[in-house]
Amino acid sequence: LSDDLTELAQQVEQAAETPHVVLNMANVTFIGSSNLGLLLALRRLIADRGRLFKVCSVSDQVWSIFLVTGLDKVFRFAPDPMTALAGIQIEEAKNA
């Protein structure tokens, strides 16, 4: 996960126009403190560029880490990628 998050951050930094980002965590079964730090940095990077960042398909094991750390109140979550994308479209339309 660390490598994927680092690569994603690099792609966001290098993008001519920063996209909204949906992070599908369906295959993630464990998340450590370094991963949480990378997620927070990625969230800030995207937010600083005025874009939206949503996390989706979080397993119960990973969700418990978000709850224990209080990060469930920091990130925006969706049950699946399609719902996350639809939520971004709705938020974009409200802000337009």
Side-chain angles (χ1 to χ4, degrees), residues 11 33 45 55 79-80:
Q11 289 175 355
S33 59
L45 176 67
V55 179
D80 56 70

Side-chain angles (χ1 to χ4, degrees), residues 8-79:
L8 180 56
Q10 290 172 348
Q11 289 175 355
V12 169
E13 287 176 338
Q14 295 171 358
E17 184 179 326
T18 303
H20 296 297
V21 175
V22 173
L23 181 63
N24 185 346
M25 296 187 69
N27 295 323
V28 178
T29 57
F30 174 80
I31 190 166
S33 59
S34 63
N35 300 131
L36 293 174
L38 288 170
L39 278 171
L40 288 166
L42 181 60
R43 178 186 166 274
R44 174 171 279 249
L45 176 67
I46 293 166
D48 286 350
R49 288 169 168 73
R51 307 309 278 172
L52 299 171
F53 178 56
K54 289 204 175 198
V55 179
C56 69
S57 304
V58 178
S59 70
D60 289 342
Q61 297 138 318
V62 173
W63 180 246
S64 67
I65 301 298
F66 282 109
L67 289 174
V68 167
T69 59
L71 293 175
D72 61 308
K73 295 171 184 70
V74 173
F75 292 97
R76 295 178 180 181
F77 295 92

